[in-house]
Amino acid sequence: MSGFSLDLTKLTPGVNSDTAIPPRDIFTALPSKDTKFQYPRDVQSEVWEKWYDARKNQTNIIKMNTGSGKTSVGLIILKSCINEGEGPAVYAVPDNYLVEQVVLEANQLGIPVTQDERSPKFIAGKEILVTNIFKLVNGRSVFGVGDEGPKIPIGAIIIDDAHACLSSIEDQFSINIQKNNSAYDSLFRIFENSLMTQASAKTLEIKSGDRNAYVRVPFWKWQESINEITRILLENKEHDDLSFKWPLIKENLTLSKCVVSASKIEISPHCIPIQMIPSLSNARRKIFMTATLVDESILASHFGITDESLSNPITPKTIGDIGDRMILMPQVINPSLSDVDIKAMCKEISTKHNVVVIVPSEYRAGFWQDVADRVLDKATIYRGVQELRAQHVGLVVLVNRYDGIDLPNTACRLLVIDGLPDVRRLVDKVTQSLLLGSEKTKDEIIQKIEQGMGRGVRSSDDFCGVILLGKALNGAVFLGSSLDKFSPATKAQIQLSQKLVPILPDTTIDSIKGALDYCLLRKPEWASMSKGVLAGLTMEKTQIDQHIINKRLAYDLASRNIMQQAASTLISDSNTADKIYRGYLKEHAAEYVNLYDKAEAQVLLQSASSDNYRVLKPLIGVTYNRLNGAALEQAKECSSYLRSSFKTANQVVVYTNSILESLIFSEGTSNPFEDAIDKVAYLIGFRSQRPENDTGKGPDNLWAMGENHYLVIECKNGATAERISKHDCNQLNGSGAWFRSMYDQTATFDPVMIHHSNFPEYAATLNEGSRIMTIRDLDNFKASIVSFITAICTSDKLHDEIFIRERLISCKLRASDIINTYTRKFR
C-alpha cells in the first residue's frame, strides 16, 4: 500500500470557505480555525442571517453586545463580501490597539488579513485590510482626498466601535489655530469688533490672556469675511496646525462654526463632510458595528447616513448577554458620604481586585493621585491596559476615556465613573452651554456614562461592580427622566441595584462595601438574580433623533448652494416643546437664511433669543428684562420653588449636592460655576439671572434679594494670579454702572466678586462698598446651604414656610446675612 494515492481533484468540490457566500457556511468551512471556534453562538448566527438578507443595502448597522463575538461576525461578513466579488474589503477600528486584536482573531479563524493598504492581495480582494480609522480619514489619506478621487477603491467596509471612531474623525475635521501661529492675530483682528458686541467682558478677558474665556464668532461676520479668512489660512497651510487638515476642510469653511479663546481659534464644520474621503463615501457596502447602548442618529451627522438603515439596525433577538453589573450610587444612598470616603473604600477593594476609575479631566485625576497605582493617559493607556489584563495592578485611573477600551474579567472588577464626562472641543463647550437645561444635553451625558460603564463587562459570563461617584453625576442619572435614557439591560441592572437600598442594614460605607462584595465575590444568590433581570430582554425600537437627521439634510443642501431649502428644513424642524432646544435650532436655521436674506436672518435670530437667551445676540440687540424682586418673601418663595420642582425630599438633597459640586475654584469651569450660582439663589428663596450670558452685557450673576435690593456678582473662580487684577476690578465696577443704568434710583445693590484673593494688584481699585467672597467664604456658604437643605428635607418640611423661615435664620441665609457672613471688605 506504500504507493497508494487518491486524486481528489476528480471529486466535485462542496462548499469551501473561499466560495461560500452565506456567513454561517463560511464559518463552518474554515479549514484551520482554532478549536475555540467549533460552533457559532446563536446571536452570531442570527446577525449573519439578517445581514445576509439585507447585504445589498449600501448601509447596514449592526448592534451587538460587547463580548458576544462581534469581531468574528464582522470578519466573516467581510469574507462573504470578498467571496461575492464585493472587495476590496476594509475592517476599520478606532486605534492601533484594536487593530492588533482584530488581526489576532482573524489569525485564529484562519481568515487572511493584512495591515498594509498597498498589499496586492488586498487590492485584488483576496485578503481583508485591518486598519486604524485615522489612516483612512485624514487630510493626506492614502485612500485619496477630495478632488484627487479614490486612490484605493473600497468595495465593503466595516467600521467597528463606530462611536469610538467618531472623536478621531471630529479631530481630523477640526482646525485649531494656536496663539503662536501668526494666523491667530490676523483672524482675531477680523473678529474683534463682532466678538465685543456678543460678549464685551469675555472678549476683554481673551485679550488679557484669561484661559477660561471663549466667544463664538457670529455667523454673519464669519460669512462676510470668508474670503479673507480663507486667504489667511491658505498662507499658513503648511503650519503644523493646518498641514494635515487643510485638504479636508478648505472647501467646507463657509458652513463652519468658529470659536475664539486666549490660546486658540477653533474652526469646525456643522456636520462632517465625509465625501472628502471618496473611497469611504462611495463604498458599495458600508457596515457600522456598535454596542447596543448607543443612539445611531450621530452616524447621520458624522457619516452622512440618512436612509432607513438608521431606524432598522440588525440586532439579535435577545440582548441580555451582557454580564453581571451591580451599579451603585453611594451618594444617593447616603448624601453625607464624601468623595474621600468612597476613595478610601475603592483603595481598600483594590488590594484584592483591580479597580479602574474613569475621570473627566487631568484636574480630577489629581484627586486620586495619592491612592492610584497608575494614572494612564494617551501615551501609556495601551501598555497599562495590557498590564491590567495580565495581573493584579491595584487602582488605575483613566483620564477622559469612556470608549474603545476592553477590560475583561480580572482586568477590572470594580469600575468607578467619577464625575460628569467633559467635552474637549471649544465648539462642544459652546453647544453644551447653549443647551444648558435642555433634555438634549442629558441624552449625550447618559450615552457617555453608559459607554464608560461598558468597559468592565466584556462577555456574558463577566462581572463587575460599578460606582457612580460625584454629586453632579448622580444628579444627572438619578433625577428626572434620565433612567429611561439608558439601554434596556443597563436600566434593568440599575433598577435591581436600587432595590438593594431598602434592605441594607444601614447606609454606612461598610454596608455599601458589603453589598458590593455580593457581586465581587460572585455570591450565587446575587448572580442568579442579576442574570434573571436580563433574561429575555429584547432590543427596544430604535428612537432616531430626527433633528440630527434634518441637520444633516440641511447641511448637504447648503453645501450644494440650495440655501432656501436648507433653511426651511431646519425652520420646520424647530417645532419642539423644548424651548431651549427650539431656540438653538432657530439660530442654526438663521445662519442658512443669512446666506440669501440678511434682514430675515436677524428677525429669526430675535425669535430664537426669546426661546433661548444663550443663542447669538441679534444685531438689533436683545432687550434686558428686569428682575422683579419687590414682592419677595424668602421662605414662601423657597417653599414654592422646592415643591414645584421636586417630587421627593431626597431629590432636593441629590440636586443640591449636584449644584454645589460645580462651585469649585479651577480653570475652565466658569460657565458651570455661574450656572450653579444662578441655581443656588432659587434653592434659598431668591430670584436670579445671568445678564452677561443672556444679553452680552452686565454682571455674571444678579440676585434679587427682596425690598428692591440686589447682589451684583462677578465670578472669578478660574483666576490664578496672586492678586485681583485691574481688569477684574474694572469689570465689577462696570457691572455696578450697568445696574445703575438698568434699575431706578430706589433700587440698591451690593457689588460682590468671588475670587481666591482679597488683595488687589497695584493700581487696581474697587468702588466703595465692594465685597469679596474668598474660597473660605464660599466653603462656609456651601456648608450653610447643605445644613439648611438637610434640615428641611430630613424632617420633610418643604411645605412648612414657618419652619423654613426659622432654618433660614439659624443657617444665616437671610438676605441681610449673606453679605455680612459670607463676604469681606476689599483690602
Side-chain angles (χ1 to χ4, degrees), residues 34-266:
D34 191 287
T35 51
K36 74 174 186 179
F37 294 113
Q38 277 185 328
Y39 302 102
R41 300 179 189 176
D42 292 348
V43 290
Q44 292 175 314
S45 296
E46 276 179 54
V47 168
W48 280 331
E49 202 174 310
K50 289 182 183 177
W51 171 80
Y52 185 72
D53 292 341
R55 71 189 187 284
K56 300 230 164 121
N57 296 349
Q58 191 181 8
T59 307
N60 277 304
I61 295 163
I62 295 175
K63 291 177 77 158
M64 291 175 74
N65 282 329
T66 308
S68 54
K70 198 154 53 109
T71 308
S72 298
V73 165
L75 285 164
I76 290 200
I77 281 174
L78 287 180
K79 182 75 175 116
S80 165
C81 294
I82 284 176
N83 291 358
E84 200 173 1
E86 293 291 343
V90 177
Y91 195 119
V93 290
D95 51 49
N96 291 332
Y97 169 71
L98 291 166
V99 168
E100 301 299 332
Q101 284 189 301
V102 176
V103 169
L104 176 66
E105 186 123 347
N107 292 339
Q108 290 173 337
L109 282 163
I111 290 177
V113 293
T114 179
Q115 293 181 56
D116 176 10
E117 69 283 351
R118 290 181 302 273
S119 157
K121 282 186 168 176
F122 157 63
I123 303 290
K126 300 289 184 212
E127 60 187 5
I128 296 166
L129 172 71
V130 183
T131 189
N132 179 335
I133 190 74
F134 170 75
K135 199 157 197 186
L136 176 63
V137 181
N138 70 72
R140 297 181 184 170
S141 172
V142 292
F143 286 81
V145 177
D147 301 339
E148 63 189 20
K151 288 184 175 173
I152 300 172
I154 296 175
I157 181 166
I158 278 188
I159 296 182
D160 194 2
D161 246 349
H163 284 72
C165 291
L166 297 179
S167 56
S168 167
I169 289 173
E170 279 175 353
D171 281 349
Q172 293 319 301
F173 283 91
S174 298
I175 293 179
N176 287 299
I177 309 293
Q178 302 297 330
K179 182 80 173 90
N180 61 6
N181 181 340
S182 61
Y184 178 97
D185 289 335
S186 308
L187 291 169
F188 191 86
R189 276 195 292 277
I190 297 174
F191 304 143
E192 184 174 354
N193 287 343
S194 65
L195 297 178
M196 288 294 285
T197 63
Q198 288 299 313
S200 52
K202 284 200 172 81
T203 306
L204 292 169
E205 283 169 352
I206 290 170
K207 289 181 75 169
S208 72
D210 185 328
R211 308 233 316 258
N212 295 305
Y214 51 87
V215 183
R216 187 165 40 136
V217 176
F219 58 75
W220 53 93
K221 184 64 189 174
W222 178 258
Q223 290 171 7
E224 75 187 38
S225 317
I226 199 71
N227 291 339
E228 209 177 336
I229 293 164
T230 307
R231 181 184 57 72
I232 292 166
L233 294 176
L234 199 50
E235 284 167 6
N236 288 273
K237 71 181 171 90
E238 297 310 321
H239 196 282
D240 287 350
D241 295 349
L242 274 166
S243 63
F244 250 84
K245 300 176 177 184
W246 178 245
L248 289 177
I249 200 138
K250 63 183 180 185
E251 297 302 335
N252 302 286
L253 280 171
T254 306
L255 305 178
S256 293
K257 281 198 274 291
C258 178
V259 186
V260 178
S261 76
S263 59
K264 64 179 179 181
I265 291 175
E266 187 180 282

Side-chain angles (χ1 to χ4, degrees), residues 631-658:
L632 190 72
E633 213 302 310
Q634 193 182 350
K636 190 178 195 166
E637 192 84 11
C638 174
S639 171
S640 139
Y641 168 73
L642 294 176
R643 281 179 298 133
S644 63
S645 306
F646 302 96
K647 290 196 186 83
T648 66
N650 188 24
Q651 286 189 350
V652 179
V653 176
V654 172
Y655 174 79
T656 304
N657 283 327
S658 76

Side-chain angles (χ1 to χ4, degrees), residues 485-505:
K485 298 179 189 298
F486 285 101
S487 68
T490 302
K491 190 158 103 182
Q493 289 177 327
I494 292 175
Q495 285 169 332
L496 176 63
S497 303
Q498 284 180 339
K499 286 178 185 163
L500 293 174
V501 179
I503 61 171
L504 289 173

Side-chain angles (χ1 to χ4, degrees), residues 375-395:
V375 176
L376 304 181
D377 58 19
K378 237 185 181 133
T380 54
I381 187 114
Y382 300 114
R383 203 169 59 246
V385 166
Q386 277 162 324
E387 197 183 355
L388 278 167
R389 292 172 131 206
Q391 66 200 64
H392 176 248
V393 181
L395 193 144

Side-chain angles (χ1 to χ4, degrees), residues 38 156 242 342 463 525 564 578 631 692 827:
Q38 277 185 328
L242 274 166
I342 296 162
F463 62 94
E525 58 271 47
Q564 274 156 300
D578 182 339
E692 201 222 339
R827 291 195 184 180

